[in-house]
Amino acid sequence: MSNSITPEKLKEIALNAALSRYNTIISKLQQTAARGQNSLIIEDVPEVVQLKLIEEGYFVTPFARYKYDFLLRRKKKKLYLIKF
């Protein structure tokens, strides 16, 4: 009758959509490894890319940094630490 979409199929579609972001992160990791570092701090990592990195053996740790302006208002910025 109708094609049912399984969760695995949806995950594959989402990963294909985020593939360019994944390739960018991998190239940045290779550049940091060439400099002798073992971690990378990056701003935006989609959840599908996080799962793919964890499957490949990387450690993905979310954390937040706060930025203050001259009136001492703080803005929260979510970052990710990727270790290998």
Side-chain angles (χ1 to χ4, degrees):
M1 297 220 189
S2 65
N3 292 337
S4 62
I5 298 178
T6 61
E8 292 82 19
K9 184 71 174 172
L10 288 174
K11 182 180 176 183
E12 181 181 329
I13 291 170
L15 183 60
N16 289 336
L19 192 59
S20 64
R21 185 71 178 144
Y22 172 77
N23 291 334
T24 304
I25 291 171
I26 292 296
S27 66
K28 287 182 182 181
L29 284 169
Q30 290 173 347
Q31 291 172 358
T32 57
R35 286 185 265 145
Q37 299 173 344
N38 66 349
S39 64
L40 172 68
I41 295 176
I42 196 161
E43 284 186 22
D44 184 33
V45 181
E47 186 176 343
V48 177
V49 175
Q50 287 179 29
L51 294 175
K52 179 76 171 169
L53 288 169
I54 291 170
E55 284 177 5
E56 291 186 1
Y58 296 101
F59 297 101
V60 180
T61 308
F63 69 98
R65 282 191 182 159
Y66 293 96
K67 184 175 181 180
Y68 294 92
D69 61 2
F70 66 97
L71 295 176
L72 298 178
R73 293 178 292 193
R74 69 180 189 179
K75 293 182 182 178
K76 185 177 181 181
K77 191 171 196 178
K78 190 168 186 178
L79 300 170
Y80 296 91
L81 175 69
I82 302 173
K83 287 186 180 181
F84 53 92

